[in-house]
Amino acid sequence: MLMNLKHMVLKLINWKVKWQDFDVNMNFWDFGGQEIMHATHQFFLSKRSLYILVLDGRKEEKTEYWLKHIDSFGGESPILIVINKIDDNPSFDINRRFLQEKYKNIIGFYRVSCAKNQGFSELQQGLIESLSKVQVLGMQWPTSWFNVKSYLENISDHYISYDKYNKICLKNKLEDEEVNETLLDFLHDLGVVLHFKDFGLLDTHVLEPEWVTQAVYRIINSKLLSDNKGLLKLSDLNEILKANPNDKFSYPKSKHKYIVELMLKFQLCYQVTSGSLLVPDLLEVQEPEINFDFSSALSFVVSYDFLPKSIISRLQVALSKDIFDRKQWRTGMLIKDDAIGATAIIKSDNRESKIYIWINGAARREYLAVIRHLIKTINYSFSKLKHTEQIPLPDNQDVLISYDHLRKLEDMGKKTYFPDGANKEYKVSSLLGNIYINNENEEMLLEVLKKLKSDNDSQETLAKKANDIIQLQPNFFGIGVNVNALISKVFPNS
């Protein structure tokens, strides 16, 4: 895969090379550098890829930002770093030893000039040699799998239905649908097919991923959406996606639902009404004036080694039903849950790589449990995203203490703790008491469990969520509420 810092996602070329006596097809992709497009990268970034980070030698690039971006989606995939335009700035370089020690999957550095055609023979050789590091290479496939792959690569359709794919498999004597699904997963990782298993997306297998990205870009970059501060009326899709004489792709009305479902899946937007969506990345930048008592609020911080800018947008999508009084902006929101009984402000600080949470209300601990769960769910969708949950000291909000460290101190029987940056000791139980949920409020716990439950949950998976997120007071196993009994109330028909 090719990462360029200026364009949208495009399939550029297919390059055929010799590797260990095998003929290998390398598909190169070009990823967009606009911040609003970063969330769409997750359509394509996979762990069975080779990444090339192209830096502009004429200016200071966000090298580590892009390396962490690749790290978050690409897992252990190998990375080549290419410094371009060395003819304009021959002295430009990066600290290679430092980067390789920090990012173990960097396997090479290359200096090139597109204008002068310099350095490309070395880069080409490096690309071929790096193929041994890509997970999918070296796997043995049945001939029938290759036949399906070749057929799909050579037909002119931009997408096919689920039934048509299975018919193609049947023609190649692949009759087991589970085997066909496995093949489909590999084809997705190879960039041959864009395929998702969600119910609303299952019937369409995209053979030309640019068909999807062009549609999403046209929607996100449309003047209609910009003028409406991110509000998209579904009736406007006909105008936004209408065919023009020079367009490479067309979008029949029957496929509008698929494109919207894909945007919803990756939390690029959320449904406001049955006929409208909101794209949080296009909200007003300015934070509105909000009357909120920060001095009495429970505060919590999630700190990141690298904070993807899509996290706050996805959190807004996840909490869209709670957004109160339309108080939301590009990096934050005011939310309220009347059933639980709490109000919160959540802000993202991209420069500091932190998400700040303040909560007021009688059930602020319970609301925090819900918010923490949603943030954790988003965090876990990234491959190697490092984050730390922290509690600010009650009388010195600038001093942050690791929540996990406090839990360990409690487990070790430590009663007090002298935090770094503080000038006195604090009771561990008092600091954790701001987070622990009161185990005697059965009605409130039931509301939290309802909030945590997703459509795909069973009693067992909801119990795991509860054990992970809801930290009850230590007397829970004595006289506290029975969480399992509450979970059964959330599933009344099971």
Side-chain angles (χ1 to χ4, degrees):
M1 289 191 175
L2 178 64
M3 295 198 75
N4 183 288
L5 305 182
K6 296 299 175 190
H7 304 95
M8 64 182 73
V9 180
L10 296 172
K11 186 175 181 180
L12 295 179
I13 57 171
N14 176 273
W15 186 34
K16 299 181 185 298
V17 299
K18 272 284 185 186
W19 176 76
Q20 296 184 1
D21 298 326
F22 293 100
D23 293 321
V24 176
N25 292 331
M26 296 179 70
N27 291 319
F28 286 77
W29 301 83
D30 181 18
F31 283 83
Q34 285 179 272
E35 288 180 2
I36 196 171
M37 302 306 180
H38 293 183
T40 63
H41 293 176
Q42 58 193 314
F43 293 178
F44 306 95
L45 297 178
S46 81
K47 299 174 184 178
R48 303 176 191 268
S49 307
L50 166 68
Y51 291 90
I52 306 172
L53 174 58
V54 183
L55 304 177
D56 188 335
R58 299 174 303 176
K59 59 186 180 182
E60 198 70 30
E61 294 280 18
K62 300 177 183 177
T63 306
E64 288 206 63
Y65 171 85
W66 287 105
L67 287 170
K68 290 178 185 294
H69 194 65
I70 297 169
D71 227 18
S72 297
F73 290 104
E76 303 299 327
S77 295
I79 302 170
L80 299 179
I81 295 182
V82 177
I83 300 171
N84 189 23
K85 300 185 179 175
I86 58 171
D87 54 310
D88 284 352
N89 188 1
S91 63
F92 178 82
D93 210 338
I94 52 180
N95 190 336
R96 303 183 186 193
R97 184 183 297 276
F98 168 78
L99 290 175
Q100 276 192 302
E101 287 176 354
K102 191 170 181 179
Y103 304 93
K104 305 297 184 185
N105 42 342
I106 296 176
I107 59 174
F109 298 85
Y110 298 89
R111 294 170 60 83
V112 303
S113 167
C114 291
K116 298 289 183 66
N117 197 28
Q118 295 176 358
F120 283 96
S121 58
E122 294 85 355
L123 175 57
Q124 288 178 1
Q125 186 58 36
L127 278 168
I128 295 171
E129 292 174 357
S130 64
L131 289 176
S132 61
K133 305 288 186 181
V134 179
Q135 283 186 21
V136 75
L137 285 179
M139 294 184 64
Q140 294 187 354
W141 279 21
T143 302
S144 56
W145 283 28
F146 275 105
N147 291 341
V148 172
K149 173 179 173 290
S150 298
Y151 181 86
L152 294 175
E153 286 177 322
N154 289 297
I155 61 176
S156 59
D157 306 55
H158 295 144
Y159 50 85
I160 60 172
S161 68
Y162 181 82
D163 288 340
K164 184 171 181 179
Y165 167 75
N166 277 322
K167 287 178 182 177
I168 294 168
C169 290
L170 280 172
K171 285 182 181 179
N172 288 277
K173 297 183 171 54
L174 291 170
E175 300 177 359
D176 189 327
E177 284 200 21
E178 287 189 14
V179 172
N180 297 348
E181 285 288 327
T182 301
L183 171 57
L184 203 52
D185 290 338
F186 278 114
L187 294 174
H188 176 92
D189 286 340
L190 289 170
V192 176
V193 171
L194 195 62
H195 153 72
F196 302 103
K197 297 180 181 179
D198 308 71
F199 182 76
L201 302 171
L202 188 62
D203 191 50
T204 301
H205 300 333
V206 178
L207 303 179
E208 180 52 81
E210 191 185 346
W211 176 81
V212 169
T213 55
Q214 286 279 8
V216 174
Y217 291 145
R218 281 173 66 169
I219 293 169
I220 290 177
N221 289 317
S222 70
K223 189 174 186 303
L224 277 170
L225 205 59
S226 176
D227 290 345
N228 290 330
K229 301 299 182 186
L231 186 66
L232 171 67
K233 295 179 181 178
L234 296 181
S235 58
D236 289 336
L237 286 176
N238 291 327
E239 176 64 24
I240 294 171
L241 297 176
K242 72 178 180 181
N244 296 310
N246 297 323
D247 283 351
K248 182 178 179 181
F249 303 111
S250 62
Y251 301 96
K253 195 170 184 178
S254 61
K255 289 301 168 187
H256 290 184
K257 181 175 173 56
Y258 174 84
I259 294 163
V260 168
E261 289 286 344
L262 192 63
M263 293 177 66
L264 289 168
K265 171 183 170 59
F266 286 100
Q267 296 182 316
L268 298 176
C269 60
Y270 65 85
Q271 196 159 6
V272 179
T273 67
S274 60
S276 64
L277 305 169
L278 186 71
V279 179
D281 255 339
L282 296 174
L283 285 167
E284 180 67 54
V285 173
Q286 301 303 321
E287 179 179 336
E289 186 174 338
I290 299 174
N291 184 18
F292 188 87
D293 185 5
F294 288 93
S295 62
S296 64
L298 183 161
S299 53
F300 199 78
V301 178
V302 185
S303 295
Y304 294 80
D305 177 44
F306 160 69
L307 176 58
K309 294 180 180 178
S310 62
I311 284 186
I312 189 65
S313 298
R314 292 174 63 183
L315 188 58
Q316 288 183 331
V317 172
L319 286 164
S320 59
K321 293 180 180 179
D322 290 3
I323 291 170
F324 181 63
D325 198 25
R326 297 184 179 179
K327 299 290 188 184
Q328 64 179 137
W329 58 103
R330 202 166 295 183
T331 56
M333 59 187 151
L334 172 68
I335 55 175
K336 183 178 182 180
D337 190 304
D338 289 324
I340 288 179
T343 304
I345 286 182
I346 304 176
K347 297 183 184 182
S348 173
D349 187 331
N350 293 325
R351 183 174 292 277
E352 296 295 326
S353 293
K354 295 183 189 306
I355 291 178
Y356 295 94
I357 304 164
W358 297 270
I359 311 177
N360 278 322
R364 55 189 187 173
R365 296 176 181 86
E366 287 80 1
Y367 207 20
L368 177 62
V370 172
I371 295 168
R372 287 178 59 223
H373 163 68
L374 294 173
I375 292 176
K376 280 188 173 186
T377 300
I378 294 170
N379 288 345
Y380 291 155
S381 70
F382 295 85
S383 178
K384 295 191 294 184
L385 190 63
K386 297 177 183 177
H387 66 281
T388 304
E389 294 182 317
Q390 297 172 310
I391 302 173
L393 290 179
D395 53 355
N396 189 348
Q397 296 282 302
D398 292 332
V399 178
L400 303 176
I401 311 165
S402 165
Y403 171 67
D404 284 342
H405 185 63
L406 285 174
R407 294 288 306 278
K408 288 175 184 175
L409 290 174
E410 183 185 54
D411 291 342
M412 293 168 61
K414 301 291 184 182
K415 302 296 184 184
T416 61
Y417 174 54
F418 202 129
D420 185 28
N423 52 20
K424 65 178 183 180
E425 284 189 325
Y426 293 81
K427 289 183 178 180
V428 172
S429 59
S430 296
L431 294 173
L432 285 173
N434 290 326
I435 309 303
Y436 283 143
I437 292 175
N438 184 346
N439 64 10
E440 296 177 359
N441 194 333
E442 180 174 321
E443 183 179 337
M444 194 61 62
L445 278 174
L446 184 61
E447 291 300 328
V448 172
L449 291 170
K450 288 178 181 177
K451 197 90 171 177
L452 291 175
K453 179 181 176 292
S454 70
D455 292 339
N456 298 322
D457 269 326
S458 63
Q459 290 196 32
E460 292 74 20
T461 58
L462 184 57
K464 288 180 181 178
K465 284 183 185 178
N467 289 333
D468 181 44
I469 295 300
I470 302 176
Q471 272 75 48
L472 297 169
Q473 295 287 359
N475 67 346
F476 165 64
F477 290 104
I479 61 172
V481 71
N482 186 333
V483 173
N484 288 329
L486 287 181
I487 288 174
S488 65
K489 291 183 179 181
V490 180
F491 294 86
N493 298 322
S494 60

